[in-house]
Amino acid sequence: MLASSFLTLALVLGATPAPACHDGPPVVPAAELEKAPPAAAQARAGTVHDAVTTTSKKAQALHDQGLALFHAYDWIRAARSFREATRQDASLAMPWLGLSMVENALDDPAAARAAWKEATARAKKATKRERARIEAWAKALDAFEATEGADRFADHRAALDAALAKWPEDAELLLMRGNAASALPP
């Protein structure tokens, strides 16, 4: 009797059936992310500050917001924030790195590689610490693309270890290294 009451209530309230489960996150075409407006600040994502090479306070804030959203697994809004940061400061490399990581999380390897290339193209103006992150992420992308090898992520971990030897307090490097040490791919 109770089960039928819940079913009736669900029908009256207009509930829709849950979508079928799938194996991964939704693939969102890059063109859709490109035309989307920047994300509004999300309190549930927390806050992050990762000083990057920019003179634009707005670009810095959008990059920080993108990282907070990325760490909260809110990848679509993270992508929007990173894209808007690149519009605010066209020479800034780190939002492109963030976007590459988002595209990888959204299972779009071509878009992830393209965003990494944009980060690399802007890396000349970045700090050594920022370039080390970009280079370490390249090793992760290479590992994702590899089809064989007992330990595809060994080079990625080695690059992160080398960067952490220089910048042991860098939270983003530490998070990347933690992910690289997990049983699941970074």
Side-chain angles (χ1 to χ4, degrees), residues 41-113:
Q42 301 290 319
R44 66 186 167 93
T47 58
V48 171
H49 179 66
D50 178 43
V52 294
T53 307
T54 185
T55 58
S56 168
K57 289 182 181 181
K58 187 162 186 175
Q60 176 67 64
L62 286 160
H63 172 72
D64 289 345
Q65 177 179 298
L67 275 179
L69 291 163
F70 176 75
H71 293 315
Y73 301 96
D74 195 344
W75 296 321
I76 304 303
R77 287 187 180 97
R80 291 176 183 166
S81 295
F82 287 135
R83 285 196 182 279
E84 186 58 26
T86 67
R87 290 182 191 106
Q88 294 296 318
D89 183 347
S91 67
L92 188 54
M94 296 312 285
W96 286 107
L97 177 63
L99 189 57
S100 178
M101 294 167 69
V102 166
E103 295 290 6
N104 184 68
L106 291 171
D107 200 27
D108 190 342
R113 183 62 76 170

Side-chain angles (χ1 to χ4, degrees), residues 114-138:
W116 172 81
K117 286 180 181 178
E118 293 291 339
T120 301
R122 290 160 178 80
K124 292 178 198 106
K125 293 186 177 183
T127 65
K128 288 181 181 180
R129 179 186 57 84
E130 292 168 331
R131 287 194 302 271
R133 279 196 214 157
I134 293 167
E135 292 164 11
W137 182 245

Side-chain angles (χ1 to χ4, degrees), residues 147-164:
T147 57
E148 55 187 60
D151 188 0
R152 299 179 307 166
F153 292 94
D155 289 343
H156 175 55
R157 286 192 302 275
L160 290 169
D161 290 342
L164 281 166

